[in-house]
Amino acid sequence: MTCTVCKVDTEVKYKCPSCSIRYCSKFCYAKHKGNCVPVKKLKSIEDTKQIMISKTKVLHRDLLPIKKLESLRHENRLHDLLRNPHLRDLLKTINDSKNPEEIMQKAMQEPLFTEFADACMNKLDPPSND
């Protein structure tokens, strides 16, 4: 399992009593404690989304409505592509990277990743039939 704080694949023994994230050491807990948002203080799903957005520093222009993102869950082509361990590893690398834009540029050179990105975009923003 991967430590939520340091992102290292290691034995994750501990769980934060306030927000329930998992971490591997007292050092990771100390680092996490400053950013911890106790679950009981969250008033709604909207609060949770705002916290996630602020923590990942995502720009507003890059956000999609949750319902639109959830539509990806039912896309069979994406399920097929995600069975490929290489694609899953690549997506994990992008997600865990401190510079995801750079990794994404490199990933776009790989046909498998391009196929995955195209499948996502075709579902989220289908081409017009003009």
Side-chain angles (χ1 to χ4, degrees):
M1 189 174 248
T2 301
C3 174
T4 308
V5 179
C6 69
K7 307 290 187 210
V8 172
D9 286 330
T10 185
E11 185 178 357
V12 180
K13 302 181 203 178
Y14 309 102
K15 186 164 99 173
C16 177
S18 297
C19 70
S20 299
I21 69 130
R22 297 196 169 273
Y23 57 94
C24 64
S25 68
K26 65 181 180 180
F27 301 108
C28 284
Y29 178 69
K31 186 175 179 182
H32 161 72
K33 200 162 81 169
N35 296 323
C36 182
V37 178
V39 175
K40 292 176 186 173
K41 288 188 179 178
L42 298 177
K43 294 179 182 150
S44 68
I45 292 174
E46 285 303 314
D47 288 345
T48 307
K49 288 180 205 169
Q50 290 304 315
I51 289 163
M52 289 170 58
I53 290 166
S54 66
K55 283 191 176 205
T56 57
K57 299 180 179 96
V58 175
L59 299 175
H60 183 70
R61 66 180 170 79
D62 293 334
L63 297 179
L64 290 168
I66 295 296
K67 283 188 179 191
K68 202 162 205 175
L69 288 173
E70 286 177 346
S71 71
L72 295 175
R73 179 182 304 177
H74 307 292
E75 190 63 25
N76 289 334
R77 181 68 188 132
L78 293 176
H79 285 258
D80 292 342
L81 289 167
L82 288 168
R83 286 189 181 99
N84 186 308
H86 176 65
L87 178 61
R88 289 195 312 268
D89 288 344
L90 188 53
L91 292 170
K92 185 176 184 308
T93 300
I94 293 168
N95 187 60
D96 295 345
S97 173
K98 292 184 182 185
N99 191 354
E101 295 84 11
E102 183 180 321
I103 306 277
M104 191 88 127
Q105 289 296 324
K106 291 177 183 174
M108 289 303 286
Q109 303 304 311
E110 295 201 32
L112 179 62
F113 184 81
T114 304
E115 186 178 356
F116 174 76
D118 288 345
C120 290
M121 292 307 297
N122 286 336
K123 180 65 177 178
L124 296 173
D125 190 19
S128 62
N129 292 334
D130 295 338

